[in-house]
Amino acid sequence: MMRTLLYDAAQVLLNRVAKWSWLKAWAMSVAKRRGLQKAMVALARRLAVIMHRMWSDGTEFCWSREKLPASA
């Protein structure tokens, strides 16, 4: 079920969200090289890694690269 939800979140981020983020830009560059389906799977995995990192150390998601802390 979690895999399905992550894939759905990646699909929504790529197709429905109008606001660009570093994450969407990364996924679109993967889509240019490998195709949209593989980009959605790669984005779903990256979302899982980001969420696990946020859960384990308590950080917040930064929508843009300018707001990232120096340790990232």
Side-chain angles (χ1 to χ4, degrees):
M1 186 173 194
M2 180 59 83
R3 286 173 51 190
T4 303
L5 293 173
L6 284 168
Y7 184 82
D8 288 345
Q11 191 173 18
V12 167
L13 184 63
L14 286 179
N15 296 326
R16 306 271 177 169
V17 176
K19 184 176 180 182
W20 278 80
S21 68
W22 62 270
L23 200 53
K24 183 173 180 172
W26 174 81
M28 292 306 282
S29 69
V30 172
K32 282 183 187 176
R33 293 189 313 268
R34 303 287 182 204
L36 190 59
Q37 295 298 318
K38 288 186 180 181
M40 280 192 271
V41 172
L43 181 57
R45 183 187 184 282
R46 189 140 190 186
L47 285 171
V49 170
I50 289 170
M51 287 192 313
H52 180 264
R53 183 66 182 245
M54 290 169 59
W55 183 39
S56 63
D57 64 5
T59 58
E60 292 185 12
F61 178 74
C62 296
W63 193 258
S64 65
R65 287 272 187 194
E66 296 85 37
K67 296 177 185 175
L68 285 176
S71 63

